[in-house]
Amino acid sequence: MSILARIKAFLGMEAKPEKEALEEEVEKVAEEKAKPRIGYIHLSGCTGDVMSLSENYDILAELLTNLVDIVYGQTLVDLWEMPEMDLALVEGSVCLQDEHSVKELMEVREKAALVCAFGSCAATGCFTRYSRGGQQARPDHESFVPIADLVKVDCAIPGCPPSPEIIAKTVVALINGDMDYLQPMLDLAGYTEACGCDLQTKVVNQALCIGCGTCAMACQTRALDMNAGRPELNSDRCVKCGVCYVQCPRSWWPAEQINKDLGF
Amino acid sequence: MVLGTYKEVVAARSTDKQIQKIAQDGGIVSALFCYALDEKLIDGAVVAGPTEELWKPAPTVAMTAEEVLAAAGTKYTFSPNVWMLKKAARQYGLEKIGTVAIPCQLMGIRKMQSYPFGVRFLADKIALAVGIFCMENFPFASLQTFISEKMGLDPNLVEKMDIGKGKFWAYTADDVYTLPLKETHGYEQNGCKICLDYVAELADVSTGSVGTPDGWSTVFTRTDAGETIFKAAVEAGVIETKAIDDVKPGLGLLEKLATDKKTKAMKVIDDRKAMGLPVPYKASSEKEDPLANI
């Protein structure tokens, strides 16, 4: 099945023409069909991504009560055996020397219809890319890679962490079956080797940079400065999350979505 | 639709004599920000403010009318205003942020609002984005070339720069110097060559000199927020307007320039695609309206 078909199957619906109020959606979805079964899998990361999710105070209770079933997740569900899931949110990169992590990821791919790299560690490796091992309690744990290096990933939400808003927007898009909105997340599943230097090689070197400053604004570690109208990277601060390039208006351009959001 | 989606277009200018004196054209950006600050519609505005180096602007958060006016006038080089938006929210604690932006900067802002992957709690704080018409932007060194080399002028003597009527203009206290625009070609930044937006199509309100007489500006209201603030400013008497059909040269010239920019850009986009170079926009053959900013 194609990713699109799988997402539609996950939603149990075709794309709806009009976006409706979230609360109405909640009731409707709850009535209409079984709630999607979502698993949360924590590999090598700081838990910041799910913390960011939980900052959506206004929709969180409804989301968890009426919209979805969290069927698996350390600290969230009292369950040892991984069940079948419609969607698995994977936070954290995977450590090649950690057989448990590798095994868990493989199992996720088997048990989940859709695998989402949730946050930059899972999507690009992010700061775990800098690991060189040699630390207690497991000095042999040194190789951390994005989950897409080991399994097929259907969509990615980069960010260190992803903002509460992008998580909420993604959830709402899933509920509404808004595939147009989700398309960039599907495309970003392939963006696994990220670095602040992408701005130089993929934007400035390609005669695309216009010096708007969006990259430097978006950088979550203040690794970017603007000098003479071009981004200047302090690589000591870069965590390789990929957000600067993802936010750049010259990397990809969601014109239709923007016009829709502006009411044009 | 080479002028983008808009609700209304008018000729307008600030009624404030001081703003009229220092503004590039009709002083619309200054007037709107001063009004919005007064009425607490915004807590501050990110503007291209002055730095120690003359004609080299830097993004600045203006919290008072005085600070807004200090940034009045066009600077034809980089001021990465989008960069300052997060600082305006985090370091200055602004909840309602105004900003002036050129079309490409608005693209960065709007993309961030639609897809705020790594940008937390900023998207809904942009209360007023005023866009300015933009044909191209110049690296600072290009401006130095125009002024120092081609015009033989001391940059410190220049009081105002302008582009219009086919020329690059520099005003000193006593004289006016011009350079045919042809002489500036090749000095633009390269990224501008694929830009499909001349009239800041994604702004709340966009404005620029083309289309209206000297001392006036053409103004498009585009979003609900933009329309509300602009109308309120007119009602309050800080901005006066005239019907666009009653002024010269009118919308025709604006349409021509917008079409020219888009047509040239589409050629570069198509050429780049043919060479296998990355472009974020669709090729002519891939879209219904070949000049649309998509």
Side-chain angles (χ1 to χ4, degrees):
Chain A
M1 241 197 305
S2 73
I3 294 177
L4 273 175
R6 270 190 285 151
I7 290 183
K8 282 189 176 160
F10 162 76
L11 294 163
M13 61 178 94
E14 290 298 309
K16 285 182 181 171
E18 277 175 28
K19 192 170 158 185
E20 296 171 59
L22 183 63
E23 279 172 32
E24 285 174 29
E25 278 299 322
V26 169
E27 286 171 23
K28 215 167 154 197
V29 172
E31 278 171 22
E32 276 177 5
K33 64 186 183 74
K35 289 185 272 185
R37 297 160 299 167
I38 296 186
Y40 168 73
I41 287 86
H42 196 314
L43 300 179
S44 299
C46 72
T47 324
D49 305 321
V50 82
M51 293 273 288
S52 189
L53 181 150
S54 73
E55 276 195 76
N56 285 296
Y57 309 112
D58 47 342
I59 64 164
L60 197 63
E62 287 162 9
L63 178 73
L64 296 182
T65 320
N66 297 318
L67 261 181
V68 300
D69 262 337
I70 303 286
V71 294
Y72 185 71
Q74 198 182 33
T75 76
L76 297 175
V77 180
D78 184 16
L79 188 67
W80 284 98
E81 284 289 311
M82 192 185 292
E84 297 281 323
M85 297 167 282
D86 297 307
L87 169 70
L89 295 172
V90 181
E91 169 165 2
S93 61
V94 57
C95 175
L96 297 181
Q97 289 85 20
D98 179 4
E99 58 179 301
H100 300 290
S101 289
V102 174
K103 184 167 164 280
E104 195 175 10
L105 182 60
M106 294 301 173
E107 197 179 351
V108 167
R109 183 64 278 184
E110 225 170 84
K111 300 267 176 73
L114 290 167
V115 173
C116 174
F118 179 43
S120 282
C121 280
T124 71
C126 202
F127 79 101
T128 68
R129 286 281 197 191
Y130 290 103
S131 169
R132 300 164 67 247
Q135 289 188 0
Q136 298 296 3
R138 290 299 298 267
D140 60 322
H141 285 194
E142 71 172 31
S143 313
F144 295 80
V145 295
I147 60 169
D149 280 14
L150 297 193
V151 297
K152 186 172 178 317
V153 171
D154 301 302
C155 66
I157 310 177
C160 186
S163 69
E165 295 105 306
I166 194 75
I167 299 169
K169 278 170 169 281
T170 306
V171 169
V172 171
L174 272 169
I175 294 163
N176 287 324
D178 185 351
M179 290 316 303
D180 294 336
Y181 188 78
L182 296 173
Q183 188 59 47
M185 281 77 155
L186 309 192
D187 297 338
L188 286 167
Y191 180 48
T192 57
E193 290 191 10
C195 177
C197 55
D198 290 346
L199 296 172
Q200 183 65 31
T201 56
K202 296 178 194 232
V203 186
V204 177
N205 287 168
Q206 304 293 336
L208 292 172
C209 184
I210 24 74
C212 65
T214 306
C215 51
M217 179 272 287
C219 178
Q220 296 177 281
T221 62
R222 298 190 204 177
L224 288 168
D225 212 336
M226 293 298 290
N227 188 351
R230 294 293 175 263
E232 194 166 71
L233 177 70
N234 175 352
S235 54
D236 288 346
R237 291 189 73 102
C238 176
V239 293
K240 295 182 185 285
C241 67
V243 158
C244 54
Y245 180 68
V246 167
Q247 300 287 169
C248 171
R250 288 295 173 86
S251 56
W252 51 282
W253 178 232
E256 283 95 348
Q257 185 64 43
I258 287 169
N259 284 331
K260 193 172 147 195
D261 289 348
L262 288 174
F264 290 170
Chain B
M1 240 185 348
V2 295
L3 302 179
T5 305
Y6 60 89
K7 295 178 188 292
E8 205 185 355
V9 54
V10 292
R13 71 171 176 184
S14 164
T15 54
D16 184 308
K17 295 281 176 258
Q18 193 199 350
I19 293 181
Q20 284 180 9
K21 215 167 128 191
I22 57 171
Q24 190 74 13
D25 300 293
I28 298 301
V29 181
S30 302
L32 274 178
F33 283 156
C34 288
Y35 173 75
L37 278 171
D38 263 359
E39 297 296 315
K40 304 208 171 0
L41 303 172
I42 57 172
D43 305 321
V46 175
V47 295
T51 63
E52 283 172 12
E53 197 161 351
L54 199 63
W55 299 112
K56 198 175 206 173
T60 311
V61 177
M63 310 270 283
T64 62
E66 209 168 54
E67 288 166 341
V68 169
L69 299 191
T74 307
K75 294 94 184 172
Y76 291 96
T77 188
F78 312 127
S79 177
N81 284 5
V82 187
W83 183 27
M84 190 54 92
L85 292 176
K86 191 150 81 179
K87 285 188 191 166
R90 301 283 195 280
Q91 274 144 289
Y92 291 73
L94 308 191
E95 286 294 325
K96 291 173 288 183
I97 305 170
T99 187
V100 56
I102 50 178
C104 58
Q105 296 177 329
L106 284 157
M107 293 185 214
I109 293 169
R110 297 310 190 195
K111 179 173 164 181
M112 175 273 286
Q113 289 179 304
S114 286
Y115 286 98
F117 278 103
V119 185
R120 181 174 175 272
F121 298 151
L122 177 64
D124 60 357
K125 292 190 169 72
I126 311 295
L128 176 62
V130 182
I132 44 183
F133 305 168
C134 178
M135 191 57 84
E136 68 233 333
N137 203 350
F138 297 99
F140 188 65
S142 296
L143 287 186
Q144 288 175 316
T145 305
F146 304 157
I147 306 253
S148 307
E149 308 301 324
K150 294 190 180 247
M151 291 173 154
L153 260 176
D154 178 352
N156 293 309
L157 298 178
V158 176
E159 294 185 346
K160 181 176 177 175
M161 291 182 209
D162 201 4
I163 291 180
K165 306 182 178 85
K167 290 182 183 130
F168 179 88
W169 304 69
Y171 297 81
T172 63
D174 314 313
D175 275 308
V176 183
Y177 297 78
T178 64
L179 194 66
L181 272 189
K182 211 168 44 183
E183 292 272 324
T184 68
H185 290 166
Y187 289 91
E188 317 84 350
Q189 80 172 328
N190 229 270
C192 300
K193 291 182 180 167
I194 58 161
C195 177
L196 292 161
D197 188 353
Y198 175 54
V199 289
E201 296 176 20
L202 302 177
D204 290 314
V205 177
S206 45
T207 185
S209 72
V210 174
T212 40
D214 288 348
W216 288 75
S217 297
T218 305
V219 177
F220 292 93
T221 52
R222 299 187 183 278
T223 63
D224 292 341
E227 183 184 42
T228 306
I229 292 184
F230 185 75
K231 279 196 167 159
V234 173
E235 201 131 300
V238 300
I239 289 174
E240 58 180 319
T241 65
K242 280 187 196 172
I244 196 77
D245 293 336
D246 294 347
V247 301
K248 297 275 177 207
L251 277 194
L253 181 62
L254 203 54
E255 275 166 3
K256 182 190 175 298
L257 292 185
T259 307
D260 285 355
K261 177 172 181 178
K262 284 168 177 277
T263 309
K264 270 190 210 159
M266 273 322 300
K267 189 178 177 310
V268 180
I269 289 167
D270 289 339
D271 285 352
R272 283 182 62 102
K273 291 209 179 230
M275 284 191 283
L277 289 170
V279 192
Y281 310 122
K282 289 180 176 167
S284 314
S285 57
E286 293 170 319
K287 51 187 181 180
E288 253 174 68
D289 172 3
L291 299 184
N293 180 28
I294 56 175

